[in-house]
Amino acid sequence: MKFRLFREWQLALPLALAFAALFLAPLLLLVGVSFYNDDKITQPGFASWLKFYGDPFNYKVIGDTLLLGAKTVCTTVLIGYPLALVYLDLSARLQKVLLFIIVMPLLLSVVVRTFAWIVVLGHEGVVNSVLISLGVISEPLKLLQTELGLVISLTQIEMPLMLLPLISVMSRLDPNLRDASAALGASRWRTLFTVILPLSMPGLVAGCLLVFASSTTAFISQTVIGGVRLIYLPLVIWQQSLVVYHWPLAAVASLSLVVSVLSIVAALSWVGRRSGGYVNG
C-alpha cells in the first residue's frame, strides 16, 4: 500500500513542480513586492496597501469588476441553457455540427474576436444598420465604450466556456427521465425545473465558474470594447505596472483581483459540490 502511494506521488510530482514554478512562486513574489512603499522597491512597509484601500474609488472598481462578471454569467446562462436543451433534442449528426459551431470561436484569437465586435457594435456596424433598416431606431446607438456593448461581446466570447461543461453533463442524463416525468403527469416546464435543471446543476455551476473567472480578467475585451471610460481591475493593474511603473501598487491591485475572484469561485465550487451531492443522493 505504501509503495503504491509512493508511485502515485511520483506521477504527481512533475505536475506539482510545474505548478509551484509557474503559479505559486510568482504569486509569492507578488505578495512580497506588495509590501514595499516606493516604486523602486527599496522601502518595506504597508504604504501601498493603505494607499490602495484608502481610496474609495478602488472599492468601486472592485465592485464593478465583480458585477461585470455576474452580468456576463447571467447572459450566458439565459442564452446557453436553452441552447443546451436544443442540443439534447437534435440528431447525432446535427449535434456534431452544433458542437463544432460552439467550439469554433475557441480556435480564434480573443484579439480577433474582440476587434470583430468593434465592427459589429460600431455606429455603422451590423447591429445599428439592422435596427435602422427595420425602423426600430432613427439614429445609431452608442454601443462601444459602454457596459452594454462589453457584456454583449463577452457573452459571445465566453459562451463556449458555459456550453461545453453544461452539454457534457446534460448528455449523460438518461433520456427516459423526461418520458417518465411526462407519464407521471408533469408538464414540460415542470419536468425542466424539477428533473433536468437539478441534474444539470453541476455542469451549470462549472460553466458559471469558468465564465465569471474569465470575464472579470478579460483585459483585452474590457479595454478595447469598454474603453478607458470603464475602469476595471485589469486596467488598473496595467496602468500601475506599465504606465506609472508603481509595481507595489500594481501588486496590491493584482492580489485584490485574485482574492476577490477566487472568493466567488470558491462559493460557486461549494454550490457545485452541494448540487453534486444532491444529484448523487
Side-chain angles (χ1 to χ4, degrees):
M1 183 65 180
K2 292 182 179 180
F3 180 72
R4 180 181 178 183
L5 292 175
F6 177 73
R7 291 181 58 186
E8 292 177 351
W9 273 106
Q10 280 185 318
L11 294 175
L13 186 59
L15 179 61
L17 293 176
F19 177 81
L22 300 177
F23 179 77
L24 187 59
L27 184 61
L28 293 177
L29 181 62
L30 201 64
V31 173
V33 171
S34 68
F35 289 101
Y36 281 89
N37 298 337
D38 60 328
D39 55 355
K40 303 298 183 182
I41 314 181
T42 58
Q43 301 175 5
F46 297 92
S48 298
W49 287 92
L50 295 176
K51 181 179 180 180
F52 184 84
Y53 284 101
D55 189 353
F57 175 75
N58 291 325
Y59 291 98
K60 181 180 182 301
V61 172
I62 295 175
D64 289 343
T65 304
L66 299 179
L67 186 59
L68 174 66
K71 291 179 179 179
T72 306
V73 168
C74 291
T75 53
T76 51
V77 169
L78 290 176
I79 299 175
Y81 201 89
L83 190 57
L85 292 175
V86 171
Y87 175 88
L88 293 181
D89 293 332
L90 294 177
S91 62
R93 177 176 297 181
L94 291 178
Q95 283 182 346
K96 293 179 181 179
V97 174
L98 181 58
L99 189 60
F100 174 75
I101 295 174
I102 293 171
V103 175
M104 187 169 58
L106 296 177
L107 305 178
L108 298 175
S109 170
V110 66
V111 178
V112 175
R113 286 181 287 169
T114 300
F115 277 95
W117 274 106
I118 295 179
V119 178
V120 174
L121 299 176
H123 277 272
E124 298 179 358
V126 177
V127 175
N128 281 316
S129 299
V130 171
L131 292 179
I132 291 176
S133 63
L134 294 176
V136 178
I137 58 176
S138 58
E139 57 183 17
L141 297 175
K142 182 176 176 57
L143 296 175
L144 291 178
Q145 298 187 358
T146 63
E147 190 177 51
L148 175 60
L150 179 57
V151 171
I152 292 174
S153 62
L154 284 176
T155 299
Q156 185 272 331
I157 293 172
E158 309 296 345
M159 185 62 70
L161 300 181
M162 172 64 70
L163 283 173
L164 290 178
L166 188 57
I167 289 177
S168 176
V169 172
M170 295 179 70
S171 297
R172 297 197 298 266
L173 298 181
D174 189 348
N176 294 323
L177 290 174
R178 287 186 289 181
D179 296 334
S181 178
L184 293 174
S187 63
R188 292 176 62 90
W189 286 105
R190 187 172 184 181
T191 300
L192 173 63
F193 287 108
T194 60
V195 178
I196 299 177
L197 182 59
L199 293 176
S200 63
M201 189 60 67
L204 182 61
V205 171
C208 292
L209 188 152
L210 293 174
V211 171
F212 181 84
S214 181
S215 59
T216 52
T217 57
F219 170 71
I220 295 177
S221 299
Q222 294 172 6
T223 305
V224 175
I225 303 297
V228 295
R229 295 177 55 192
L230 300 177
I231 301 178
Y232 302 103
L233 268 178
L235 179 60
V236 172
I237 296 169
W238 177 78
Q239 290 175 338
Q240 294 298 327
S241 59
L242 298 179
V243 178
V244 184
Y245 292 104
H246 198 302
W247 287 93
L249 200 58
V252 174
S254 301
L255 292 173
S256 301
L257 178 62
V258 171
V259 171
S260 57
V261 171
L262 286 183
S263 299
I264 304 299
V265 168
L268 290 174
S269 299
W270 178 81
V271 172
R273 290 194 298 269
R274 289 291 301 270
S275 62
Y278 171 78
V279 171
N280 295 326

